Amino acid sequence: MHRLSHISTRSRSTLADKLRSAVGGSDYGKSRQALAAGSIAAKDENGEDFRELYVMPKRKLRGQIQLEQNTGRAEIKTRSRFDLMDRLAERPPRSEEMDPEKHKWSDVWPAARTFAASVVPLPVRMGSRPNVEKRAPFKKEGNLELVKIPNFLHLTPVAIKQHCDAIKKFCTPFPPELVATPSLAATCLPISVQYSTYIHQGTNIRDIRSRVITMIVDVESLKLTENAQEKFIRLAGKRYNKESKKLTIITDRCHTRKQNLDYAHYLLTVLYHEANKVEQWAELKERSD
């Protein structure tokens, strides 16, 4: 019978030695300390000095920190709770430091963003109270109702004027003839596009009805032949109004407004080219038909 003796390598690890030395005092492991100091020279098989390699982390291990705290050799640092009042004690909010005469609001709030109580220098309140006369609505600090809704603080009259002045060089003046005689627009502008924009309070700022495009076309301005115009009217069906002689195309099947506008132009192009096509059987048409 042979006895097998299992020796745990964990008991001879460097971490275990450090923990034993931390608990038992500085007397433990004197030979290892002397070896590290150089009083005991370790030689390898070639007779050269043995240089032990041990990579120690830059931070203390959790077990070592706990032992030092339990034995009273380390101080326990108490950290203050992250609170809004602690941050306000270090520095006041920007709305109190901002000088209206030196700072431009268009530079502070240049684009659309979520409401920030520390930036807006207005005593805004929002919320519901049972009796508003006795207790005013909630203040702007930490008010989630102001964060939920979209704001238009970036669209001040001064900011709009700055944007208009910046893009004015890329625009052309509106024709004064159309202002004097509105009926002239029917001949000069045969195609008109109509759409609507909705603003409402809800979970989404976009409304599904805003993607609908209505295109009104003056058929006489297309300069079709008699046969092409008759074919155009037959293809349009109920979309053509005989009294006003205008074609109305409504598109709403696409997801965005631009896609519906492109689709409306595509339908008008297809109707125009199909009306101008002349088939072989169409040449056999007689006056009685």
Side-chain angles (χ1 to χ4, degrees):
M1 297 290 292
H2 296 280
R3 288 186 177 180
L4 299 176
S5 60
H6 298 278
I7 301 175
S8 177
T9 58
R10 184 182 295 273
S11 61
R12 290 187 291 178
S13 63
T14 310
L15 177 60
D17 294 340
K18 288 184 177 294
L19 293 175
R20 291 196 192 95
S21 62
V23 177
S26 59
D27 296 337
Y28 182 83
K30 286 186 176 181
S31 60
R32 186 174 293 276
Q33 295 176 4
L35 181 63
S39 58
I40 301 176
K43 303 291 183 179
D44 58 1
E45 58 184 4
N46 297 328
E48 297 180 358
D49 294 337
F50 178 75
R51 294 179 293 276
E52 182 180 3
L53 175 64
Y54 176 72
V55 181
M56 179 177 290
K58 295 182 180 180
R59 60 179 179 83
K60 292 184 179 180
L61 301 176
R62 182 179 296 179
Q64 186 177 358
I65 295 174
Q66 291 179 356
L67 287 174
E68 291 179 356
Q69 292 177 355
N70 294 334
T71 54
R73 288 178 293 172
E75 297 180 359
I76 302 176
K77 296 181 180 180
T78 57
R79 298 180 179 179
S80 61
R81 185 175 63 87
F82 180 78
D83 195 5
L84 178 63
M85 302 306 297
D86 295 342
R87 295 181 61 185
L88 293 178
E90 297 177 1
R91 181 182 176 182
R94 185 179 180 181
S95 59
E96 298 180 4
E97 296 180 350
M98 187 169 48
D99 188 2
E101 297 180 357
K102 296 182 180 179
H103 296 82
K104 292 184 179 179
W105 179 247
S106 58
D107 298 337
V108 178
W109 205 282
R113 55 171 293 191
T114 309
F115 182 84
S118 60
V119 181
V120 180
L122 300 174
V124 185
R125 290 175 176 267
M126 187 172 182
S128 60
R129 294 280 195 180
N131 194 347
V132 184
E133 297 178 356
K134 294 183 179 180
R135 298 182 63 185
F138 301 99
K139 295 182 178 180
K140 62 180 180 179
E141 288 81 9
N143 196 334
L144 295 179
E145 299 297 329
L146 290 171
V147 180
K148 293 177 183 177
I149 61 173
N151 59 77
F152 301 94
L153 296 175
H154 61 289
L155 297 178
T156 57
V158 179
I160 294 174
K161 187 177 182 302
Q162 291 179 358
H163 284 285
C164 293
D165 295 340
I167 65 177
K168 186 180 293 184
K169 57 184 178 180
F170 303 105
C171 301
T172 57
F174 192 80
E177 295 81 8
L178 298 179
V179 180
T181 56
S183 59
L184 189 62
T187 58
C188 298
L189 304 174
I191 300 176
S192 63
V193 178
Q194 300 175 3
Y195 58 87
S196 302
T197 302
Y198 300 88
I199 300 177
H200 64 95
Q201 181 181 2
T203 56
N204 191 1
I205 62 175
R206 293 173 178 83
D207 196 293
I208 194 173
R209 296 172 294 177
S210 62
R211 65 182 183 179
V212 181
I213 292 292
T214 302
M215 179 182 289
I216 302 174
V217 184
D218 187 8
V219 179
E220 292 185 352
S221 62
L222 298 177
K223 298 180 180 180
L224 298 171
T225 60
E226 184 179 356
N227 294 332
Q229 185 174 0
E230 182 183 358
K231 189 176 181 180
F232 187 92
I233 294 172
R234 290 181 181 274
L235 290 173
K238 297 180 180 179
R239 300 174 182 87
Y240 177 75
N241 189 354
K242 295 181 180 180
E243 297 179 357
S244 61
K245 297 182 180 180
K246 290 185 179 181
L247 172 69
T248 304
I249 300 175
I250 300 175
T251 55
D252 58 350
R253 62 175 59 188
C254 299
H255 293 284
T256 61
R257 181 185 297 168
K258 185 179 183 303
Q259 291 175 345
N260 286 317
L261 180 60
D262 295 340
Y263 183 60
H265 284 291
Y266 167 75
L267 292 178
L268 180 61
T269 305
V270 171
L271 283 174
Y272 179 80
H273 288 288
E274 286 292 332
N276 286 323
K277 282 184 179 180
V278 179
E279 302 291 344
Q280 294 180 358
W281 55 267
E283 297 178 356
L284 302 176
K285 179 182 177 183
E286 296 179 358
R287 187 176 183 83
S288 60
D289 296 332

